[in-house]
Amino acid sequence: MRLTRRSFLTSLAAVAAALSGSRAVAPLARWRRGVKGAVPALVARPEGVHSLAHLEAVPAGGGVALAFAAKPPRAEPAAASGRRWVMVIDLARCDGCRECTRACQAMHFLPGGQEWIRVYEMRDHELGAPYWLPRPCMQCDNPPCVKVCPVSATWKREDGIVMQDTSRCIGCRFCMAACPYQARSFNWVDPEVPGMPDEPYAMEWNRVHRRGTTEKCIFCPALLAEGRLPACAAACPMGAIYFGDQGEDAVTNSQGETVRLSELVAANAGYRLLEELGTEPRVYYLPPRRPLYPPPPPATEPASAGEARR
Ligand code: SF4
Ligand code: SF4
């Protein structure tokens, strides 16, 4: 039997792949059409050079646009691409509705069961109140997944996004084993997604999907190119997910609130998950102090990120 490069590398990795279990396949909610028009659309006025407050509605097209200042309000060094994308998730606002998850599934036509942004019910200790924690890919600045990929199917872009090219992926799943956030999914079977467009593979849309490859959140670069928020941030009815450019020191949520990244994180004791690992995540969390919703009832067995199946 003649081995191709792909099948050879895949065979080498078969044992590692077998250790990670499989996923259940379930029907997907087709939420995609609901993304458009369900949230306010925002754009910065060209003359709003020094202010992030000059926002106005976009009459057509729907969705949510990022509110960029024409000049950064603070002289932060930016990458050559001009952007350094960053996300802030306010846990005090998240009520666990999982609209972010559904919006992501609809945007990328995800195969059944895949959740590129997964909402965990958390409880830090027995005296603590439960809270919700959405977990996308952290787009790590020091990404372990990139270091282990033998075929460079995943890599770090200048704007901070950790991309994934499934046309190069050989399915070894080394990246899944290396990711400390369990942010990657694997297509065990030929994906069957109702309504999936008949289109060639497009990396920036992260679709169509292919059996035997890994996939993950990539901050919706196709939407960013149109000046819109990622699907999850645009869909959050609580405005819990802020997104923006670190170079501009500004982030925006679905409610049209545009705030300084540095002030938001500093004033609310923001933190990053597993900071001690040195992965340098590009996702910040604000702790669930004084939540804006009634806390979920205590779970019989407290869930944690480590219990998640991939
Ligand atoms: S992206 Fe992951 S599964 Fe695909 S080849 Fe690279 S390490 Fe292996
Ligand atoms: S969260 Fe995981 S998949 Fe995402 S960049 Fe970091 S190591 Fe890679």
Side-chain angles (χ1 to χ4, degrees):
M1 180 180 68
R2 187 172 172 214
L3 284 178
T4 63
R5 172 172 167 267
R6 174 188 169 95
S7 60
F8 173 70
L9 291 170
T10 304
S11 302
L12 279 182
V15 174
L19 294 177
S20 296
S22 64
R23 307 180 54 89
V25 176
L28 274 183
R30 290 292 93 201
W31 192 88
R32 183 163 190 247
R33 278 178 292 279
V35 174
K36 266 195 167 182
V39 286
L42 304 169
V43 68
R45 290 184 183 181
E47 65 271 26
V49 173
H50 298 298
S51 172
L52 295 170
H54 293 273
L55 305 173
E56 63 185 5
V58 172
V64 167
L66 290 169
F68 293 131
K71 286 182 184 173
R74 229 174 57 172
E76 292 275 355
S81 64
R83 303 292 182 197
R84 291 290 290 170
W85 302 118
V86 65
M87 181 177 282
V88 181
I89 302 178
D90 187 348
L91 301 182
R93 288 184 169 214
C94 176
D95 67 351
C97 69
R98 295 187 168 86
E99 284 297 315
C100 54
T101 304
R102 285 188 281 276
C104 175
Q105 289 172 324
M107 173 62 66
H108 301 288
F109 292 89
L110 294 193
Q114 283 199 26
E115 294 180 351
W116 289 355
I117 178 167
R118 177 167 294 188
V119 180
Y120 295 99
E121 184 178 337
M122 305 291 287
R123 200 175 188 191
D124 294 340
H125 50 80
E126 61 181 16
L127 295 180
Y131 62 94
W132 304 101
L133 187 143
R135 190 274 302 134
C137 169
M138 302 290 141
Q139 316 297 337
C140 305
D141 278 346
N142 186 23
C145 59
V146 169
K147 294 179 181 175
V148 299
C149 179
V151 291
S152 300
T154 187
W155 70 97
K156 182 83 177 167
R157 285 199 337 189
E158 285 185 342
D159 62 4
I161 295 176
V162 174
M163 289 295 290
Q164 174 77 16
D165 183 353
T166 61
S167 68
R168 293 182 64 91
C169 176
I170 58 171
C172 66
R173 304 182 77 211
F174 291 169
C175 56
M176 294 185 71
C179 173
Y181 303 98
Q182 301 188 3
R184 287 172 172 264
S185 303
F186 187 70
N187 288 317
W188 287 97
V189 297
D190 283 320
E192 292 182 15
V193 184
M196 166 68 81
D198 183 16
E199 61 188 14
Y201 171 65
M203 201 189 318
E204 295 220 329
W205 287 103
N206 230 346
R207 64 184 197 227
V208 294
H209 310 281
R210 195 163 57 89
R211 182 176 63 165
T213 60
T214 64
E215 300 182 300
K216 72 173 190 71
C217 152
I218 54 170
F219 273 4
C220 292
L223 294 182
L224 301 183
E226 298 172 359
R228 299 168 65 191
L229 290 174
C232 57
C236 176
M238 301 292 284
I241 304 178
Y242 293 83
F243 191 86
D245 179 8
Q246 189 167 10
E248 288 194 332
D249 194 28
V251 286
T252 304
N253 67 5
S254 62
Q255 310 301 304
E257 297 166 324
T258 300
V259 294
R260 298 213 187 283
L261 167 69
S262 56
E263 292 175 6
L264 183 67
V265 173
N268 294 283
Y271 65 96
R272 300 186 293 187
L273 291 184
L274 300 177
E275 180 79 52
E276 65 276 16
L277 296 183
T279 50
E280 300 291 333
R282 300 201 62 74
V283 178
Y284 291 84
Y285 287 89
L286 308 183
R289 297 176 301 174
R290 295 192 292 277
L292 303 180
Y293 58 91
T300 41
E301 289 187 17
S304 73
E307 294 172 351
R309 293 175 61 205
R310 287 178 282 176

